Amino acid sequence: MLIPYEPARSLRSSGSNLFTIASSNLKTKGDRAFAVRAPKLWNDLPEDLRLAKSVSAFKSQFKTHFYSL
């Protein structure tokens, strides 16, 4: 369901732990599907947050990021 993003050629984003965002034809229900929404939310996180070393580090950094918005 979640497909890692692998560009066809060498790009700066190739090592950024990104996911491919699935396309949807429906604007109401399709864009809210897990396969579309989860990769978009993950890709929108800052890179240092996506590259956290552990779950506890991710949680701590996520709280800091969330409350600074």
Side-chain angles (χ1 to χ4, degrees):
M1 194 180 291
L2 295 176
I3 304 166
Y5 173 69
E6 295 180 17
R9 57 185 185 268
S10 179
L11 299 173
R12 286 183 288 167
S13 62
S14 62
S16 299
N17 291 340
L18 298 174
F19 288 112
T20 301
I21 300 173
S23 61
S24 70
N25 295 332
L26 303 173
K27 288 296 174 194
T28 56
K29 294 181 184 175
D31 286 343
R32 288 183 271 171
F34 179 81
V36 175
R37 204 63 165 147
K40 176 150 181 31
L41 291 172
W42 179 260
N43 293 345
D44 288 345
L45 290 175
E47 186 176 5
D48 59 332
L49 186 57
R50 288 192 314 259
L51 297 175
K53 298 288 182 189
S54 66
V55 175
S56 61
F58 174 81
K59 287 179 181 181
S60 175
Q61 291 174 6
F62 180 75
K63 286 180 192 176
T64 303
H65 172 71
F66 182 73
Y67 289 120
S68 68
L69 294 178

